[in-house]
């Protein structure tokens, strides 16, 4: 089972190279994964830095993202 205490979790927005908000998952000083909601592209994407992440861990990461980040994209005026 996934235990949130086994990694550092950072919620961060990004408005430079991309526009949105995401959750970063860190272990031992290195980012393991990031799940990002891109409001410009209207996508939700997962970036993984490690070759292997267990299914249980990835499901936990996704649940943290769903708990911490609003699901709806920000609507921009044209």
């Amino acid at each position: 089972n996934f235990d949130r205490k086994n990694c550092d979790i950072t919620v961060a927005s990004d408005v430079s190279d991309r526009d949105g908000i995401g959750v970063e998952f860190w272990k031992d000083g290195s980012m393991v994964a990031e799940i990002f909601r891109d409001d410009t592209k209207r996508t939700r994407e997962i970036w993984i830095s490690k070759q292997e992440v267990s299914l249980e861990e990835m499901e936990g990461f996704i649940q943290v993202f769903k708990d911490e980040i609003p699901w709806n994209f920000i609507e921009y005026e044209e």
Side-chain angles (χ1 to χ4, degrees), residues 16-31:
S16 57
D17 296 335
R18 53 193 184 167
D19 188 4
I21 189 167
V23 181
E24 299 172 348
F25 301 90
W26 295 77
K27 284 187 176 181
D28 302 321
S30 296
M31 192 177 352

PDB file of all heavy atoms in Angstrom, residues 16-31:
ATOM      1  N   SER A  16       5.743  29.529 -16.356  1.00  0.00           N
ATOM      2  CA  SER A  16       6.829  29.981 -17.225  1.00  0.00           C
ATOM      3  C   SER A  16       6.798  29.212 -18.543  1.00  0.00           C
ATOM      4  O   SER A  16       6.276  29.696 -19.531  1.00  0.00           O
ATOM      5  CB  SER A  16       8.180  29.838 -16.528  1.00  0.00           C
ATOM      6  OG  SER A  16       8.391  28.504 -16.125  1.00  0.00           O
ATOM      7  N   ASP A  17       7.356  27.995 -18.557  1.00  0.00           N
ATOM      8  CA  ASP A  17       7.364  27.207 -19.782  1.00  0.00           C
ATOM      9  C   ASP A  17       6.008  26.588 -20.085  1.00  0.00           C
ATOM     10  O   ASP A  17       5.714  26.232 -21.214  1.00  0.00           O
ATOM     11  CB  ASP A  17       8.401  26.086 -19.687  1.00  0.00           C
ATOM     12  CG  ASP A  17       9.811  26.630 -19.585  1.00  0.00           C
ATOM     13  OD1 ASP A  17      10.036  27.768 -20.046  1.00  0.00           O
ATOM     14  OD2 ASP A  17      10.677  25.934 -19.035  1.00  0.00           O
ATOM     15  N   ARG A  18       5.203  26.441 -19.071  1.00  0.00           N
ATOM     16  CA  ARG A  18       3.866  25.868 -19.202  1.00  0.00           C
ATOM     17  C   ARG A  18       2.966  26.590 -18.217  1.00  0.00           C
ATOM     18  O   ARG A  18       3.450  27.370 -17.398  1.00  0.00           O
ATOM     19  CB  ARG A  18       3.900  24.365 -18.935  1.00  0.00           C
ATOM     20  CG  ARG A  18       4.556  24.030 -17.616  1.00  0.00           C
ATOM     21  CD  ARG A  18       4.872  22.569 -17.487  1.00  0.00           C
ATOM     22  NE  ARG A  18       5.420  22.351 -16.143  1.00  0.00           N
ATOM     23  CZ  ARG A  18       5.582  21.182 -15.608  1.00  0.00           C
ATOM     24  NH1 ARG A  18       5.253  20.098 -16.278  1.00  0.00           N
ATOM     25  NH2 ARG A  18       6.083  21.055 -14.411  1.00  0.00           N
ATOM     26  N   ASP A  19       1.681  26.359 -18.264  1.00  0.00           N
ATOM     27  CA  ASP A  19       0.755  27.091 -17.409  1.00  0.00           C
ATOM     28  C   ASP A  19      -0.178  26.107 -16.723  1.00  0.00           C
ATOM     29  O   ASP A  19      -1.058  25.527 -17.368  1.00  0.00           O
ATOM     30  CB  ASP A  19      -0.046  28.095 -18.240  1.00  0.00           C
ATOM     31  CG  ASP A  19      -0.881  29.028 -17.382  1.00  0.00           C
ATOM     32  OD1 ASP A  19      -0.781  28.960 -16.144  1.00  0.00           O
ATOM     33  OD2 ASP A  19      -1.642  29.816 -17.950  1.00  0.00           O
ATOM     34  N   GLY A  20       0.038  25.906 -15.438  1.00  0.00           N
ATOM     35  CA  GLY A  20      -0.822  24.993 -14.706  1.00  0.00           C
ATOM     36  C   GLY A  20      -0.314  24.748 -13.307  1.00  0.00           C
ATOM     37  O   GLY A  20       0.438  25.533 -12.748  1.00  0.00           O
ATOM     38  N   ILE A  21      -0.733  23.613 -12.750  1.00  0.00           N
ATOM     39  CA  ILE A  21      -0.384  23.264 -11.376  1.00  0.00           C
ATOM     40  C   ILE A  21      -0.162  21.763 -11.304  1.00  0.00           C
ATOM     41  O   ILE A  21      -0.789  20.997 -12.039  1.00  0.00           O
ATOM     42  CB  ILE A  21      -1.494  23.728 -10.403  1.00  0.00           C
ATOM     43  CG1 ILE A  21      -1.048  23.574  -8.964  1.00  0.00           C
ATOM     44  CG2 ILE A  21      -2.820  23.044 -10.689  1.00  0.00           C
ATOM     45  CD1 ILE A  21      -1.933  24.294  -7.963  1.00  0.00           C
ATOM     46  N   GLY A  22       0.731  21.367 -10.422  1.00  0.00           N
ATOM     47  CA  GLY A  22       1.021  19.943 -10.322  1.00  0.00           C
ATOM     48  C   GLY A  22       1.479  19.536  -8.946  1.00  0.00           C
ATOM     49  O   GLY A  22       1.613  20.348  -8.033  1.00  0.00           O
ATOM     50  N   VAL A  23       1.733  18.247  -8.823  1.00  0.00           N
ATOM     51  CA  VAL A  23       2.231  17.663  -7.588  1.00  0.00           C
ATOM     52  C   VAL A  23       3.537  16.947  -7.912  1.00  0.00           C
ATOM     53  O   VAL A  23       3.605  16.158  -8.864  1.00  0.00           O
ATOM     54  CB  VAL A  23       1.218  16.666  -6.983  1.00  0.00           C
ATOM     55  CG1 VAL A  23       1.748  16.092  -5.683  1.00  0.00           C
ATOM     56  CG2 VAL A  23      -0.122  17.317  -6.751  1.00  0.00           C
ATOM     57  N   GLU A  24       4.573  17.257  -7.129  1.00  0.00           N
ATOM     58  CA  GLU A  24       5.875  16.605  -7.288  1.00  0.00           C
ATOM     59  C   GLU A  24       6.055  15.617  -6.138  1.00  0.00           C
ATOM     60  O   GLU A  24       5.684  15.903  -5.005  1.00  0.00           O
ATOM     61  CB  GLU A  24       7.002  17.638  -7.227  1.00  0.00           C
ATOM     62  CG  GLU A  24       6.925  18.691  -8.305  1.00  0.00           C
ATOM     63  CD  GLU A  24       7.933  19.809  -8.101  1.00  0.00           C
ATOM     64  OE1 GLU A  24       8.536  19.898  -6.999  1.00  0.00           O
ATOM     65  OE2 GLU A  24       8.118  20.592  -9.036  1.00  0.00           O
ATOM     66  N   PHE A  25       6.647  14.466  -6.455  1.00  0.00           N
ATOM     67  CA  PHE A  25       6.903  13.424  -5.468  1.00  0.00           C
ATOM     68  C   PHE A  25       8.409  13.211  -5.389  1.00  0.00           C
ATOM     69  O   PHE A  25       9.043  12.888  -6.391  1.00  0.00           O
ATOM     70  CB  PHE A  25       6.183  12.129  -5.869  1.00  0.00           C
ATOM     71  CG  PHE A  25       4.701  12.323  -5.994  1.00  0.00           C
ATOM     72  CD1 PHE A  25       4.138  12.693  -7.211  1.00  0.00           C
ATOM     73  CD2 PHE A  25       3.873  12.185  -4.896  1.00  0.00           C
ATOM     74  CE1 PHE A  25       2.772  12.897  -7.330  1.00  0.00           C
ATOM     75  CE2 PHE A  25       2.505  12.385  -5.005  1.00  0.00           C
ATOM     76  CZ  PHE A  25       1.946  12.753  -6.223  1.00  0.00           C
ATOM     77  N   TRP A  26       8.975  13.412  -4.188  1.00  0.00           N
ATOM     78  CA  TRP A  26      10.418  13.375  -3.974  1.00  0.00           C
ATOM     79  C   TRP A  26      10.779  12.268  -2.993  1.00  0.00           C
ATOM     80  O   TRP A  26      10.070  12.049  -2.010  1.00  0.00           O
ATOM     81  CB  TRP A  26      10.889  14.698  -3.387  1.00  0.00           C
ATOM     82  CG  TRP A  26      10.722  15.862  -4.296  1.00  0.00           C
ATOM     83  CD1 TRP A  26       9.560  16.539  -4.586  1.00  0.00           C
ATOM     84  CD2 TRP A  26      11.739  16.505  -5.049  1.00  0.00           C
ATOM     85  NE1 TRP A  26       9.806  17.554  -5.467  1.00  0.00           N
ATOM     86  CE2 TRP A  26      11.137  17.562  -5.770  1.00  0.00           C
ATOM     87  CE3 TRP A  26      13.105  16.293  -5.175  1.00  0.00           C
ATOM     88  CZ2 TRP A  26      11.863  18.395  -6.599  1.00  0.00           C
ATOM     89  CZ3 TRP A  26      13.830  17.128  -6.006  1.00  0.00           C
ATOM     90  CH2 TRP A  26      13.203  18.171  -6.713  1.00  0.00           C
ATOM     91  N   LYS A  27      11.917  11.601  -3.273  1.00  0.00           N
ATOM     92  CA  LYS A  27      12.489  10.615  -2.350  1.00  0.00           C
ATOM     93  C   LYS A  27      13.995  10.810  -2.321  1.00  0.00           C
ATOM     94  O   LYS A  27      14.613  10.945  -3.383  1.00  0.00           O
ATOM     95  CB  LYS A  27      12.182   9.191  -2.798  1.00  0.00           C
ATOM     96  CG  LYS A  27      10.778   8.749  -2.524  1.00  0.00           C
ATOM     97  CD  LYS A  27      10.636   7.277  -2.837  1.00  0.00           C
ATOM     98  CE  LYS A  27       9.261   6.802  -2.483  1.00  0.00           C
ATOM     99  NZ  LYS A  27       9.095   5.377  -2.761  1.00  0.00           N
ATOM    100  N   ASP A  28      14.553  10.859  -1.151  1.00  0.00           N
ATOM    101  CA  ASP A  28      16.004  10.982  -0.978  1.00  0.00           C
ATOM    102  C   ASP A  28      16.595  12.147  -1.774  1.00  0.00           C
ATOM    103  O   ASP A  28      17.656  12.032  -2.377  1.00  0.00           O
ATOM    104  CB  ASP A  28      16.706   9.679  -1.366  1.00  0.00           C
ATOM    105  CG  ASP A  28      16.206   8.497  -0.553  1.00  0.00           C
ATOM    106  OD1 ASP A  28      15.973   8.685   0.665  1.00  0.00           O
ATOM    107  OD2 ASP A  28      16.047   7.408  -1.119  1.00  0.00           O
ATOM    108  N   GLY A  29      15.880  13.265  -1.814  1.00  0.00           N
ATOM    109  CA  GLY A  29      16.370  14.465  -2.484  1.00  0.00           C
ATOM    110  C   GLY A  29      16.216  14.498  -3.989  1.00  0.00           C
ATOM    111  O   GLY A  29      16.656  15.451  -4.635  1.00  0.00           O
ATOM    112  N   SER A  30      15.599  13.482  -4.577  1.00  0.00           N
ATOM    113  CA  SER A  30      15.400  13.451  -6.035  1.00  0.00           C
ATOM    114  C   SER A  30      13.913  13.334  -6.347  1.00  0.00           C
ATOM    115  O   SER A  30      13.174  12.615  -5.661  1.00  0.00           O
ATOM    116  CB  SER A  30      16.112  12.248  -6.652  1.00  0.00           C
ATOM    117  OG  SER A  30      17.497  12.356  -6.471  1.00  0.00           O
ATOM    118  N   MET A  31      13.488  14.027  -7.416  1.00  0.00           N
ATOM    119  CA  MET A  31      12.100  13.929  -7.822  1.00  0.00           C
ATOM    120  C   MET A  31      11.882  12.588  -8.510  1.00  0.00           C
ATOM    121  O   MET A  31      12.585  12.231  -9.448  1.00  0.00           O
ATOM    122  CB  MET A  31      11.682  15.071  -8.761  1.00  0.00           C
ATOM    123  CG  MET A  31      10.184  15.104  -8.933  1.00  0.00           C
ATOM    124  SD  MET A  31       9.405  16.411  -9.943  1.00  0.00           S
ATOM    125  CE  MET A  31      10.652  17.541 -10.331  1.00  0.00           C
TER     126      MET A  31
END
